[in-house]
Structure formats: C-alpha cells, structure tokens
Amino acid sequence: MKRLIKTFCATLLALLPVVAMAQIDGEFVKPRTGKFLLKNATVVTITKGTLSNTSVLLENGKIAQIGTNISSDGAEVIDCTGLFIYPGMIDSGTRLGLVEVSSVPETVDYQEIGNVTPNMQALTAVNPNAEAVGITRVSGVTTVLTSPNGGLFPGTAALINLNGYTPDQMYGGFKGVVMNFPASGRRGRFDRRSDDDIKKDSEKAIKEANSIWENALKYHELKTAGAELQYYPEMDQLAKVIAGELPLLIEVNTASDIQNAIKWVADKKVKVIFTGVSEGWRVAEELAKAKIPVITGPVQALPTRQSDRYDTPYANAGKMAKAGVKVALRTDDEDNVRNLPFHAAFAAAYGMGKEEAWKAVTINPAEIFGIADQYGSVEVGKRANLIVSTEDPFETRAQIMHVFIDGYRIPLSNRHIRLYQEFLERSPGLKSN
C-alpha cells in the first residue's frame, strides 16, 4: 500500500509542471512570441550530434544561436538543466484539422464527391481551432501533413504547423497532389468479388488512370504553348505535377501494387513519393533501386496477411531503411496523431534503431518535402520548432515541458488537461463503500 501511495505521489509531482503551465480558471493563455534563451540543456540536434550543457537562443521565430556562452540580454531565460531539446516532430500523413467528430458528417472534410478532384485543397479545409491540434502539439508533434482521401485523385495535401488562427498562418511550405494507386487485390475480407472481376476492375482502373494522365499531358502541352484553355481546374492541378511544381503522393500498399506503381512512374519524369507502403519490406530493394522516398505507417497496426508475423508492421519501416530507402513515418490518423512518438518507438525497437527512427520523424520528412533548410533539426537559421522534454519522448514516461512553434511559446493546455484538472479532485467527491 505504501508503495502505491508513493507511486501516486510521484506521478502527481511529475505532472505538476504540466498542470502549472495549463489554463487557470477564467484566464485564457495564448501562444506568445519573443526572445527566449533555453539554457543548459542536452541538445539532440539530429544532424550534428548531441551537445551537453548547451543553450539555444530563439529570436524572430528562428534558432538564432546554439552554444555555451550566449548572452541573455533581452531574452526570457528558461532553465533547462537536466532537460533535453529536440526538433519538433513531423507526422508525414494525417487528417488533422479536417475532422472534428468523425461520426458527425458536417465536421468531416477530407473527402470530396467525385473520383478526380486533385484541385481540392486540404489547406483551405483545415480548422485551426480543432481540439486535436492542441492535444497533438503537447506530445511534441509540431508539424503534420494533412491529406484528403477517397477517389483516384482526391485532392492536394498540405504541410501545416500546429499554431495559427488561419490555414495560411499554419502553412508549412509543402503541398503535394494525392493519388490512390489502383489496387490489384481484394479491398478487404468483405470483398466477395471473383478473381476475374478483381482483375477486370484493376485493369479498368489502370486504364482510367492512364487516360486521365494523357489528358493532363495534353493540357500541360497546350498551356505551355500559350493556348487559350477553358476552365478545367482538375487538369490544371495535374499539369502542375507534370511541370514539376508539385510532387505526386501515391498511396500504394501491397507488394504487387508497389511493383506496378514503380513501373507506372518510371517514364513519367515527375517527383514521386510513395505513401502507406504496408508491404514495402517485401520489395525494399526495388524501392531503393527506384530511389523513391516512402512515407509509411501507422506502425502500430495489424499485418496485411494472416500468414505474416504479428510484428511485420512494426519492422516494415526498419527493413526499408536498411535497404537504402529514405523513410518517414506517419500515424494516418486524425484524433491520435499525438501517438506519433510511440509509433516511432515501435519502429526503433523492431529494427529501425532509435537514431534512424528520430530521423524518420524529423529530418527525413523535411528532406522528402524539400524544406530541410527550415525544418527537421536543431541548427542555427532554422525555424524555431522545438520541444523540451524530461527525457527521450519515445519513452512513455517522458514529459514535454516546453513547446515552441515558429518561435511562439505554446501553452501546454488542451481539453485532456482541462478534464484532468476538473476531475482530479472532485468536490463533492465520491465516497468509497
């Protein structure tokens, strides 16, 4: 019993700093910018090793200095002795901000009517005030790719930072057109189609994809030649992919479909990123040879085949990385994006290794999205997207003490913490029988 009491008290003490940063009754704490000196921390830069007893100066939304003797003149000093500084984590595939309550259709905005809607912008549909935004960022995730879903070309995904009052303020500098590559297998255990019907449907879908692509090529050719074109937003958006202005994010999962997708893009001469890639480990060598970067996940998932080992999804990212594929991780979620560090922890434990798993949620997605000069590591000149933690955030006992996004100090308050505060010591309380 004494041990239980000690454990309970220790837990309360550990949560005390989080609660102290949380919202006070009748007062609303907003993110605030300024000049901050994070002093005497262990800095995990990701790209340039780990630095002990090091300070980091944040100014004008950027990382201004990293060193041991930085002047605190004009800065708000935050003592980080015994704490760790990491770059903010990037979730490379979510629907965050596009869903509030999944069972209420009016609050779900990631799927448009129609099979070909690449011009639909996820960025314009993002709700900056979604409850899940605040819940996600206090777990150390500061940036996410939010993506549309459904259909062959469902829309254009956008990278967003988890701070701001408008989608434009949140925009992180990357967009990509999403394509769901035609599947050649069954859609699930409830799919009762015959093998012949599955084959016919697959051939029909590939034929449709090729036809749409041919039309986009013609549209791009005419546009480049200066022809007067009728309003055709779908083709106009696909023409941007052909012109190299936007990459193509191809969702593909089974091994045979991945092989078909590699062949399909071989002569397209466009920038391609594969997403999902659940069975990437089966064709990892081919992916590496094709030099196609991969966004995979969720890691904490069930195997795609009943004959596979239970840990196949956990090991998928690590096997691709070891084969030479550049891998980023995603949760593929809208409510539990906060669990990204635990997906990465599973990947690390099942073959990827901690160092590579950290890269998969920081510098690798930054490089895949072409924004590595701004995101993904703790380096001078990059955006001040940082987290301060009691230990490695991949550990479930780690506490995130401070979060900075674009130099804004983010209050560690959200709906979960408010509920925790309200029900921790209820009055009137409950009587034990």
Side-chain angles (χ1 to χ4, degrees), residues 289-361:
K289 186 178 179 182
K291 297 182 179 178
I292 296 173
V294 163
I295 296 170
T296 191
V299 177
Q300 295 174 338
L302 295 174
T304 53
R305 307 182 191 187
Q306 290 186 344
S307 56
D308 287 342
R309 281 173 55 94
Y310 74 97
D311 58 357
T312 301
Y314 310 158
N316 183 37
K319 288 182 177 178
M320 286 192 284
K322 284 184 177 177
V325 181
K326 186 175 286 295
V327 176
L329 297 179
R330 70 175 189 181
T331 57
D332 196 28
D333 208 328
E334 60 265 1
D335 298 322
N336 292 309
V337 181
R338 60 184 175 142
N339 288 335
L340 177 67
F342 310 132
H343 286 267
F346 264 60
Y350 284 84
M352 195 174 206
K354 188 182 292 187
E355 184 177 345
E356 195 61 35
W358 262 107
K359 289 181 180 177
V361 292

Side-chain angles (χ1 to χ4, degrees), residues 96-97 123 126-129 133 137 142-144 159-173 375 383 406:
L96 189 63
L123 184 62
V126 167
N127 175 14
N129 300 312
V133 169
R137 62 193 182 190
T142 59
T143 309
V144 306
L159 192 75
I160 58 171
N161 285 312
L162 302 186
N163 183 43
Y165 291 102
T166 68
D168 286 339
Q169 290 175 354
M170 300 173 76
Y171 180 51
Y375 294 86
R383 290 195 183 200
D406 270 338

